[in-house]
Amino acid sequence: MRDLVLQSADLTRVHSGMLWAEGPVYFPAGDYFLWSDIPSNRLYQWLTDGAVRVFRFDSHNTNGNTRDDQGRLVSCRHLSRSVVRLEHDGSETVLADHFDGKKLNAPNDVVVSSDSSIWFTDPTYGIMSNFEGRRAKPEQDCCRVYRITPDGIISVIDNLQKPNGLAFSGDEDQLYVADSARSHYEDGNHHIFACVHDNGKLSQPKPIFEIEHGVPDGLRVDEFGHIWCSSARGIEVLDANGNHLGCLKVPEAVSNLEFGGPKGNRLLITASRSVYCTYLAVSGIRFK
């Protein structure tokens, strides 16, 4: 961990007073971060000079966010049970809201791979109550991971309990997926799974690490292949094989994280009712 963190870097609270902060994403073109407050139905923007403002007042209970290769915001919306892209002209494109003729559960987190395909998880958190979405009966028979391509939506994982955060390795030969089922089920998964990725196809998920404190949620990968994953006590740091290296302690339970800043070495952390940031000795991976 001494090679990954900076002993002199403070953990700074950027903003507080939210109900459940999630989905951080960085936009280098404007040097700013966005994140969601799911229950409050808001998207927030932090300009890294210190100003925080509401970016969108009606977010449709957005959870996870990412940016695509053209710098557009792609979001998972609980309320509309959809994945939506914000175009440069301000219009919106619904990328996915059904699979096999049935409504999705509640898209949760999303990433874009280097071939421009969009991958997202679809657990049922957003339809389990009215707090983060709207209570509804699932139409899908399980919680899947999907891939969106120009040819349509493909189910790529269908045997996890509550797939949540996801991230590719730097060379994209691995897809890491967090399963957070223990958040609602005593015997549910609380593991990080790894899948071998080859040209849009995945191997069967293999558990590589079990989160002891709470459940895994959002995760990211740094330039050297380390996995940074949220937990109830902070951010757990693993090597590419799932060996635990240490923990970056945070005062609140962490939901998600994002590398950003001009050098990619600024870490934004969404943690329950607050958002924190710090500088690291490593940078996050970036796809073109």
Side-chain angles (χ1 to χ4, degrees):
M1 287 289 287
R2 290 193 179 97
D3 295 329
L4 307 181
V5 299
L6 298 171
Q7 298 294 328
S8 60
D10 292 330
L11 185 68
T12 303
R13 182 183 284 112
V14 172
H15 193 64
S16 62
M18 293 157 292
L19 292 178
W20 183 250
E22 250 283 12
V25 57
Y26 177 70
F27 285 84
D31 191 21
Y32 64 83
F33 289 90
L34 298 180
W35 71 83
S36 307
D37 183 357
I38 307 173
S40 295
N41 199 28
R42 299 283 190 269
L43 280 179
Y44 285 90
Q45 179 188 51
W46 178 46
L47 306 174
T48 54
D49 64 1
V52 175
R53 72 181 186 100
V54 176
F55 182 79
R56 170 160 288 184
F57 283 94
D58 183 4
S59 70
H60 302 268
N61 297 123
T62 289
N63 187 339
N65 299 284
T66 193
R67 71 176 194 274
D68 70 4
D69 53 0
Q70 296 185 40
R72 296 172 295 188
L73 174 66
V74 179
S75 299
C76 291
R77 294 179 171 179
H78 282 180
L79 192 63
S80 57
R81 299 161 72 170
S82 61
V83 180
V84 177
R85 183 176 64 218
L86 180 63
E87 307 295 348
H88 291 306
D89 63 3
S91 63
E92 295 181 347
T93 301
V94 177
L95 303 175
D97 59 3
H98 285 74
F99 175 72
D100 198 23
K102 302 173 184 178
K103 286 184 179 181
L104 297 173
N105 295 322
N108 188 289
D109 207 353
V110 58
V111 295
V112 179
S113 56
S114 59
D115 65 357
S116 300
S117 60
I118 296 169
W119 305 65
F120 69 96
T121 56
D122 189 41
T124 55
Y125 292 121
I127 58 174
M128 296 177 76
S129 73
N130 292 326
F131 186 61
E132 294 187 358
R134 180 175 292 121
R135 182 182 289 108
K137 183 178 180 180
E139 295 185 17
Q140 299 295 328
D141 58 1
C142 64
C143 299
R144 295 182 174 89
V145 179
Y146 295 98
R147 178 174 178 244
I148 304 173
T149 72
D151 298 324
I153 305 171
I154 303 166
S155 172
V156 291
I157 299 176
D158 62 4
N159 57 354
L160 295 181
Q161 295 172 344
K162 288 285 187 288
N164 200 321
L166 70 173
F168 278 103
S169 59
D171 54 11
E172 295 189 345
D173 65 352
Q174 298 279 332
L175 177 67
Y176 302 108
V177 184
D179 190 333
S180 55
R182 193 172 67 171
S183 64
H184 285 70
Y185 308 110
E186 185 176 353
D187 58 350
N189 287 338
H190 46 109
H191 302 72
I192 299 172
F193 289 82
C195 305
V196 176
H197 172 237
D198 182 17
N199 195 29
K201 297 182 179 179
L202 299 177
S203 68
Q204 288 296 310
K206 174 185 176 182
I208 62 168
F209 188 73
E210 178 179 309
I211 295 288
E212 296 181 12
H213 303 270
V215 296
D217 196 334
L219 64 163
R220 296 290 189 273
V221 178
D222 71 25
E223 59 186 320
F224 299 111
H226 304 111
I227 304 165
W228 300 67
C229 182
S230 62
S231 76
R233 66 175 181 171
I235 297 173
E236 311 296 337
V237 185
L238 322 170
D239 68 16
N241 297 315
N243 297 307
H244 192 251
L245 303 179
C247 178
L248 183 65
K249 296 290 184 68
V250 178
E252 303 174 63
V254 173
S255 63
N256 215 325
L257 57 144
E258 169 75 329
F259 288 94
K263 298 179 181 178
N265 64 340
R266 199 169 197 180
L267 190 68
L268 191 81
I269 303 164
T270 52
S272 302
R273 289 158 179 78
S274 301
V275 173
Y276 299 85
C277 75
T278 190
Y279 283 98
L280 299 174
V282 293
S283 300
I285 60 171
R286 290 183 177 180
F287 296 119
K288 296 180 180 179

PDB file of all heavy atoms in Angstrom, residues 157-177:
ATOM      1  N   ILE A 157     -24.039 -12.604 -18.229  1.00  0.00           N
ATOM      2  CA  ILE A 157     -23.956 -13.331 -16.960  1.00  0.00           C
ATOM      3  C   ILE A 157     -25.358 -13.465 -16.408  1.00  0.00           C
ATOM      4  O   ILE A 157     -26.099 -12.482 -16.317  1.00  0.00           O
ATOM      5  CB  ILE A 157     -23.077 -12.590 -15.922  1.00  0.00           C
ATOM      6  CG1 ILE A 157     -21.644 -12.419 -16.422  1.00  0.00           C
ATOM      7  CG2 ILE A 157     -23.071 -13.352 -14.590  1.00  0.00           C
ATOM      8  CD1 ILE A 157     -20.753 -11.612 -15.477  1.00  0.00           C
ATOM      9  N   ASP A 158     -25.747 -14.692 -16.023  1.00  0.00           N
ATOM     10  CA  ASP A 158     -27.096 -14.902 -15.489  1.00  0.00           C
ATOM     11  C   ASP A 158     -27.107 -15.768 -14.238  1.00  0.00           C
ATOM     12  O   ASP A 158     -28.168 -16.245 -13.816  1.00  0.00           O
ATOM     13  CB  ASP A 158     -28.013 -15.517 -16.549  1.00  0.00           C
ATOM     14  CG  ASP A 158     -27.563 -16.893 -17.018  1.00  0.00           C
ATOM     15  OD1 ASP A 158     -26.571 -17.431 -16.469  1.00  0.00           O
ATOM     16  OD2 ASP A 158     -28.199 -17.435 -17.946  1.00  0.00           O
ATOM     17  N   ASN A 159     -25.925 -15.958 -13.608  1.00  0.00           N
ATOM     18  CA  ASN A 159     -25.872 -16.857 -12.448  1.00  0.00           C
ATOM     19  C   ASN A 159     -25.290 -16.198 -11.204  1.00  0.00           C
ATOM     20  O   ASN A 159     -24.809 -16.886 -10.301  1.00  0.00           O
ATOM     21  CB  ASN A 159     -25.101 -18.127 -12.796  1.00  0.00           C
ATOM     22  CG  ASN A 159     -23.693 -17.853 -13.292  1.00  0.00           C
ATOM     23  OD1 ASN A 159     -23.315 -16.705 -13.492  1.00  0.00           O
ATOM     24  ND2 ASN A 159     -22.928 -18.918 -13.497  1.00  0.00           N
ATOM     25  N   LEU A 160     -25.333 -14.864 -11.127  1.00  0.00           N
ATOM     26  CA  LEU A 160     -24.999 -14.167  -9.888  1.00  0.00           C
ATOM     27  C   LEU A 160     -26.288 -13.758  -9.192  1.00  0.00           C
ATOM     28  O   LEU A 160     -27.350 -13.709  -9.810  1.00  0.00           O
ATOM     29  CB  LEU A 160     -24.128 -12.938 -10.169  1.00  0.00           C
ATOM     30  CG  LEU A 160     -22.740 -13.213 -10.738  1.00  0.00           C
ATOM     31  CD1 LEU A 160     -21.972 -11.917 -10.948  1.00  0.00           C
ATOM     32  CD2 LEU A 160     -21.947 -14.158  -9.842  1.00  0.00           C
ATOM     33  N   GLN A 161     -26.208 -13.459  -7.894  1.00  0.00           N
ATOM     34  CA  GLN A 161     -27.411 -13.149  -7.122  1.00  0.00           C
ATOM     35  C   GLN A 161     -27.829 -11.693  -7.268  1.00  0.00           C
ATOM     36  O   GLN A 161     -28.978 -11.389  -7.595  1.00  0.00           O
ATOM     37  CB  GLN A 161     -27.171 -13.509  -5.650  1.00  0.00           C
ATOM     38  CG  GLN A 161     -26.966 -14.994  -5.415  1.00  0.00           C
ATOM     39  CD  GLN A 161     -26.544 -15.304  -3.989  1.00  0.00           C
ATOM     40  OE1 GLN A 161     -26.112 -14.427  -3.235  1.00  0.00           O
ATOM     41  NE2 GLN A 161     -26.666 -16.568  -3.608  1.00  0.00           N
ATOM     42  N   LYS A 162     -26.908 -10.776  -6.974  1.00  0.00           N
ATOM     43  CA  LYS A 162     -27.181  -9.342  -7.096  1.00  0.00           C
ATOM     44  C   LYS A 162     -25.945  -8.656  -7.697  1.00  0.00           C
ATOM     45  O   LYS A 162     -25.184  -7.980  -7.006  1.00  0.00           O
ATOM     46  CB  LYS A 162     -27.506  -8.730  -5.726  1.00  0.00           C
ATOM     47  CG  LYS A 162     -28.873  -9.117  -5.167  1.00  0.00           C
ATOM     48  CD  LYS A 162     -29.991  -8.364  -5.894  1.00  0.00           C
ATOM     49  CE  LYS A 162     -31.344  -8.616  -5.244  1.00  0.00           C
ATOM     50  NZ  LYS A 162     -31.842  -9.976  -5.493  1.00  0.00           N
ATOM     51  N   PRO A 163     -25.711  -8.843  -9.011  1.00  0.00           N
ATOM     52  CA  PRO A 163     -24.561  -8.178  -9.628  1.00  0.00           C
ATOM     53  C   PRO A 163     -24.682  -6.671  -9.481  1.00  0.00           C
ATOM     54  O   PRO A 163     -25.742  -6.096  -9.710  1.00  0.00           O
ATOM     55  CB  PRO A 163     -24.637  -8.622 -11.091  1.00  0.00           C
ATOM     56  CG  PRO A 163     -26.084  -8.993 -11.303  1.00  0.00           C
ATOM     57  CD  PRO A 163     -26.558  -9.538  -9.988  1.00  0.00           C
ATOM     58  N   ASN A 164     -23.589  -6.034  -9.108  1.00  0.00           N
ATOM     59  CA  ASN A 164     -23.629  -4.614  -8.759  1.00  0.00           C
ATOM     60  C   ASN A 164     -22.554  -3.863  -9.534  1.00  0.00           C
ATOM     61  O   ASN A 164     -22.683  -3.649 -10.725  1.00  0.00           O
ATOM     62  CB  ASN A 164     -23.481  -4.476  -7.241  1.00  0.00           C
ATOM     63  CG  ASN A 164     -23.962  -3.157  -6.710  1.00  0.00           C
ATOM     64  OD1 ASN A 164     -23.765  -2.116  -7.308  1.00  0.00           O
ATOM     65  ND2 ASN A 164     -24.595  -3.170  -5.543  1.00  0.00           N
ATOM     66  N   GLY A 165     -21.463  -3.442  -8.881  1.00  0.00           N
ATOM     67  CA  GLY A 165     -20.421  -2.724  -9.588  1.00  0.00           C
ATOM     68  C   GLY A 165     -19.666  -3.628 -10.551  1.00  0.00           C
ATOM     69  O   GLY A 165     -19.615  -4.852 -10.376  1.00  0.00           O
ATOM     70  N   LEU A 166     -19.064  -3.020 -11.578  1.00  0.00           N
ATOM     71  CA  LEU A 166     -18.271  -3.787 -12.527  1.00  0.00           C
ATOM     72  C   LEU A 166     -17.177  -2.906 -13.112  1.00  0.00           C
ATOM     73  O   LEU A 166     -17.312  -1.682 -13.183  1.00  0.00           O
ATOM     74  CB  LEU A 166     -19.138  -4.394 -13.630  1.00  0.00           C
ATOM     75  CG  LEU A 166     -19.794  -3.531 -14.697  1.00  0.00           C
ATOM     76  CD1 LEU A 166     -20.440  -4.421 -15.764  1.00  0.00           C
ATOM     77  CD2 LEU A 166     -20.847  -2.599 -14.145  1.00  0.00           C
ATOM     78  N   ALA A 167     -16.080  -3.554 -13.519  1.00  0.00           N
ATOM     79  CA  ALA A 167     -14.937  -2.822 -14.076  1.00  0.00           C
ATOM     80  C   ALA A 167     -14.086  -3.786 -14.885  1.00  0.00           C
ATOM     81  O   ALA A 167     -13.943  -4.966 -14.524  1.00  0.00           O
ATOM     82  CB  ALA A 167     -14.098  -2.187 -12.971  1.00  0.00           C
ATOM     83  N   PHE A 168     -13.516  -3.292 -15.972  1.00  0.00           N
ATOM     84  CA  PHE A 168     -12.580  -4.072 -16.768  1.00  0.00           C
ATOM     85  C   PHE A 168     -11.157  -3.868 -16.272  1.00  0.00           C
ATOM     86  O   PHE A 168     -10.807  -2.805 -15.735  1.00  0.00           O
ATOM     87  CB  PHE A 168     -12.639  -3.648 -18.235  1.00  0.00           C
ATOM     88  CG  PHE A 168     -13.764  -4.263 -19.013  1.00  0.00           C
ATOM     89  CD1 PHE A 168     -14.901  -3.533 -19.314  1.00  0.00           C
ATOM     90  CD2 PHE A 168     -13.684  -5.579 -19.450  1.00  0.00           C
ATOM     91  CE1 PHE A 168     -15.933  -4.091 -20.033  1.00  0.00           C
ATOM     92  CE2 PHE A 168     -14.716  -6.151 -20.171  1.00  0.00           C
ATOM     93  CZ  PHE A 168     -15.842  -5.415 -20.464  1.00  0.00           C
ATOM     94  N   SER A 169     -10.317  -4.875 -16.486  1.00  0.00           N
ATOM     95  CA  SER A 169      -8.883  -4.700 -16.313  1.00  0.00           C
ATOM     96  C   SER A 169      -8.368  -3.819 -17.443  1.00  0.00           C
ATOM     97  O   SER A 169      -9.058  -3.572 -18.437  1.00  0.00           O
ATOM     98  CB  SER A 169      -8.185  -6.063 -16.328  1.00  0.00           C
ATOM     99  OG  SER A 169      -8.429  -6.737 -17.567  1.00  0.00           O
ATOM    100  N   GLY A 170      -7.133  -3.353 -17.317  1.00  0.00           N
ATOM    101  CA  GLY A 170      -6.601  -2.414 -18.290  1.00  0.00           C
ATOM    102  C   GLY A 170      -6.541  -2.962 -19.698  1.00  0.00           C
ATOM    103  O   GLY A 170      -6.783  -2.236 -20.666  1.00  0.00           O
ATOM    104  N   ASP A 171      -6.231  -4.235 -19.851  1.00  0.00           N
ATOM    105  CA  ASP A 171      -6.182  -4.840 -21.182  1.00  0.00           C
ATOM    106  C   ASP A 171      -7.509  -5.483 -21.578  1.00  0.00           C
ATOM    107  O   ASP A 171      -7.600  -6.096 -22.641  1.00  0.00           O
ATOM    108  CB  ASP A 171      -5.054  -5.874 -21.262  1.00  0.00           C
ATOM    109  CG  ASP A 171      -5.139  -6.926 -20.164  1.00  0.00           C
ATOM    110  OD1 ASP A 171      -6.181  -6.999 -19.466  1.00  0.00           O
ATOM    111  OD2 ASP A 171      -4.168  -7.679 -19.977  1.00  0.00           O
ATOM    112  N   GLU A 172      -8.490  -5.354 -20.713  1.00  0.00           N
ATOM    113  CA  GLU A 172      -9.851  -5.867 -20.945  1.00  0.00           C
ATOM    114  C   GLU A 172      -9.926  -7.385 -21.049  1.00  0.00           C
ATOM    115  O   GLU A 172     -10.919  -7.931 -21.534  1.00  0.00           O
ATOM    116  CB  GLU A 172     -10.477  -5.235 -22.193  1.00  0.00           C
ATOM    117  CG  GLU A 172     -10.714  -3.755 -22.076  1.00  0.00           C
ATOM    118  CD  GLU A 172     -11.522  -3.202 -23.234  1.00  0.00           C
ATOM    119  OE1 GLU A 172     -11.675  -3.870 -24.270  1.00  0.00           O
ATOM    120  OE2 GLU A 172     -12.010  -2.068 -23.098  1.00  0.00           O
ATOM    121  N   ASP A 173      -8.915  -8.095 -20.577  1.00  0.00           N
ATOM    122  CA  ASP A 173      -9.012  -9.555 -20.608  1.00  0.00           C
ATOM    123  C   ASP A 173      -9.744 -10.102 -19.384  1.00  0.00           C
ATOM    124  O   ASP A 173     -10.005 -11.301 -19.301  1.00  0.00           O
ATOM    125  CB  ASP A 173      -7.635 -10.201 -20.742  1.00  0.00           C
ATOM    126  CG  ASP A 173      -6.729  -9.945 -19.542  1.00  0.00           C
ATOM    127  OD1 ASP A 173      -7.097  -9.135 -18.652  1.00  0.00           O
ATOM    128  OD2 ASP A 173      -5.646 -10.547 -19.488  1.00  0.00           O
ATOM    129  N   GLN A 174     -10.089  -9.212 -18.428  1.00  0.00           N
ATOM    130  CA  GLN A 174     -10.868  -9.599 -17.264  1.00  0.00           C
ATOM    131  C   GLN A 174     -11.989  -8.587 -17.038  1.00  0.00           C
ATOM    132  O   GLN A 174     -11.778  -7.375 -17.195  1.00  0.00           O
ATOM    133  CB  GLN A 174      -9.994  -9.635 -16.005  1.00  0.00           C
ATOM    134  CG  GLN A 174      -8.853 -10.638 -16.038  1.00  0.00           C
ATOM    135  CD  GLN A 174      -9.312 -12.045 -15.714  1.00  0.00           C
ATOM    136  OE1 GLN A 174     -10.293 -12.240 -15.002  1.00  0.00           O
ATOM    137  NE2 GLN A 174      -8.605 -13.035 -16.231  1.00  0.00           N
ATOM    138  N   LEU A 175     -13.160  -9.091 -16.689  1.00  0.00           N
ATOM    139  CA  LEU A 175     -14.239  -8.239 -16.195  1.00  0.00           C
ATOM    140  C   LEU A 175     -14.482  -8.615 -14.741  1.00  0.00           C
ATOM    141  O   LEU A 175     -14.736  -9.780 -14.423  1.00  0.00           O
ATOM    142  CB  LEU A 175     -15.521  -8.431 -16.996  1.00  0.00           C
ATOM    143  CG  LEU A 175     -16.730  -7.613 -16.490  1.00  0.00           C
ATOM    144  CD1 LEU A 175     -16.499  -6.120 -16.700  1.00  0.00           C
ATOM    145  CD2 LEU A 175     -18.026  -8.056 -17.163  1.00  0.00           C
ATOM    146  N   TYR A 176     -14.390  -7.622 -13.853  1.00  0.00           N
ATOM    147  CA  TYR A 176     -14.649  -7.842 -12.431  1.00  0.00           C
ATOM    148  C   TYR A 176     -16.066  -7.371 -12.108  1.00  0.00           C
ATOM    149  O   TYR A 176     -16.489  -6.295 -12.540  1.00  0.00           O
ATOM    150  CB  TYR A 176     -13.648  -7.069 -11.577  1.00  0.00           C
ATOM    151  CG  TYR A 176     -12.210  -7.431 -11.845  1.00  0.00           C
ATOM    152  CD1 TYR A 176     -11.359  -6.539 -12.515  1.00  0.00           C
ATOM    153  CD2 TYR A 176     -11.682  -8.661 -11.440  1.00  0.00           C
ATOM    154  CE1 TYR A 176     -10.032  -6.859 -12.765  1.00  0.00           C
ATOM    155  CE2 TYR A 176     -10.359  -8.989 -11.695  1.00  0.00           C
ATOM    156  CZ  TYR A 176      -9.540  -8.084 -12.353  1.00  0.00           C
ATOM    157  OH  TYR A 176      -8.224  -8.412 -12.611  1.00  0.00           O
ATOM    158  N   VAL A 177     -16.794  -8.193 -11.350  1.00  0.00           N
ATOM    159  CA  VAL A 177     -18.179  -7.885 -10.988  1.00  0.00           C
ATOM    160  C   VAL A 177     -18.358  -8.095  -9.485  1.00  0.00           C
ATOM    161  O   VAL A 177     -17.971  -9.138  -8.948  1.00  0.00           O
ATOM    162  CB  VAL A 177     -19.184  -8.765 -11.754  1.00  0.00           C
ATOM    163  CG1 VAL A 177     -20.624  -8.343 -11.425  1.00  0.00           C
ATOM    164  CG2 VAL A 177     -18.948  -8.692 -13.258  1.00  0.00           C
TER     165      VAL A 177
END
